[in-house]
Amino acid sequence: QKEVEQNSGPLSVPEGAIASLNCTYSDRGSQSFFWYRQYSGKSPELIMSIYSNGDKEDGRFTAQLNKASQYVSLLIRDSQPSDSATYLCAVSPTGNQFYFGTGTSLTVIP
Amino acid sequence: AAGVIQSPRHLIKEKRETATLKCYPIPRHDTVYWYQQGPGQDPQFLISFYEKMQSDKGSIPDRFSAQQFSDYHSELNMSSLELGDSALYFCASSPTSHTGELFFGEGSRLTVL
């Protein structure tokens, strides 16, 4: 079992809709959770971090964490074509170890 | 703002050759990570350094070694290259004050022929 599981997609949503990306993790002791965006052929870019249960909002992005269910999600409101990318969920069980999921490919259709 | 600098951006080698990748972290970032990403794959953690000492080791082959120097730059040395080593190699740095927030370089694309 991989440490971090994501639905690889592809996920397609129309422009202006809400895109919902999900991630589960296996290490119940994990403390830190991150969402990275990666455009094709480019390096991952951090877009959200979340450390405690609940929601964290940053502009059009909302991260949701449920440690009891070992589940973290990312909502993108008012999706734009420029949001089309692969979204990587990353989980850190300790301060210096990070495990990435395989990523969910998102396409926003104009 | 300064970013993570990696060199070379592209590298072509033959099987059994040796390659060295370099990484210059963001100034005042004290932790450096190396990741390997194959086509369509998630980034695989190879190794990390904190304050010039190796802090964690992931799925790094024995043919690979890495170190961090006094100026905090890091080098990944890969020997006896195999076709399967062809991948994008990312270096990322992080400040201790924001553990987990990795800032990635543009990557070095290694092609082994």
Side-chain angles (χ1 to χ4, degrees):
Chain A
Q1 181 190 9
K2 281 183 67 73
E3 289 84 1
V4 180
E5 300 271 5
Q6 289 183 256
N7 185 337
S8 61
L11 174 67
S12 294
V13 299
E15 184 174 356
I18 295 176
S20 178
L21 306 163
N22 304 314
C23 171
T24 58
Y25 58 95
S26 60
D27 188 334
R28 187 171 286 278
S30 297
Q31 298 296 318
S32 308
F33 308 86
F34 309 90
W35 283 98
Y36 287 82
R37 177 177 61 201
Q38 186 174 27
Y39 293 111
S40 181
K42 300 294 186 181
S43 57
E45 173 192 14
L46 177 68
I47 54 173
M48 288 286 284
S49 59
I50 187 167
Y51 302 94
S52 53
N53 279 326
D55 295 0
K56 179 182 178 183
E57 188 175 314
D58 184 0
R60 296 185 295 110
F61 298 97
T62 299
Q64 299 174 317
L65 175 61
N66 184 326
K67 289 186 178 180
S69 301
Q70 296 175 240
Y71 174 94
V72 58
S73 66
L74 179 70
L75 300 177
I76 306 175
R77 289 183 301 281
D78 187 25
S79 296
Q80 301 297 308
S82 59
D83 295 328
S84 298
T86 296
Y87 289 81
L88 298 162
C89 173
V91 173
S92 179
T94 67
N96 291 321
Q97 280 256 12
F98 300 91
Y99 296 104
F100 284 86
T102 51
T104 298
S105 174
L106 171 67
T107 300
V108 180
I109 303 167
Chain B
V4 177
I5 306 296
Q6 289 188 247
S7 67
R9 294 292 311 277
H10 301 274
L11 190 60
I12 299 175
K13 290 286 186 177
E14 305 245 335
K15 276 169 47 176
R16 292 180 288 277
E17 284 192 320
T18 297
T20 297
L21 306 180
K22 295 185 179 182
C23 169
Y24 295 85
I26 293 172
R28 291 180 294 283
H29 281 199
D30 48 20
T31 309
V32 168
Y33 304 81
W34 284 98
Y35 283 87
Q36 177 192 60
Q37 188 174 30
Q41 304 294 313
D42 55 298
Q44 293 292 315
F45 170 67
L46 294 178
I47 196 166
S48 64
F49 293 87
Y50 170 69
E51 282 292 340
K52 294 160 278 186
M53 299 288 289
Q54 180 184 310
S55 62
D56 255 310
K57 209 169 181 180
S59 51
I60 184 169
D62 292 340
R63 299 176 290 108
F64 292 10
S65 65
Q67 56 183 322
Q68 188 176 29
F69 295 85
S70 58
D71 64 351
Y72 290 90
H73 95 272
S74 179
E75 294 185 4
L76 177 67
N77 299 294
M78 300 174 283
S79 62
S80 302
L81 287 169
E82 303 173 357
L83 296 178
D85 296 330
S86 296
L88 256 177
Y89 290 83
F90 289 112
C91 172
S93 70
S94 176
T96 302
S97 58
H98 292 82
T99 302
E101 296 186 359
L102 303 183
F103 295 84
F104 284 82
E106 291 296 313
S108 293
R109 182 174 294 282
L110 171 66
T111 303
V112 181
L113 302 176

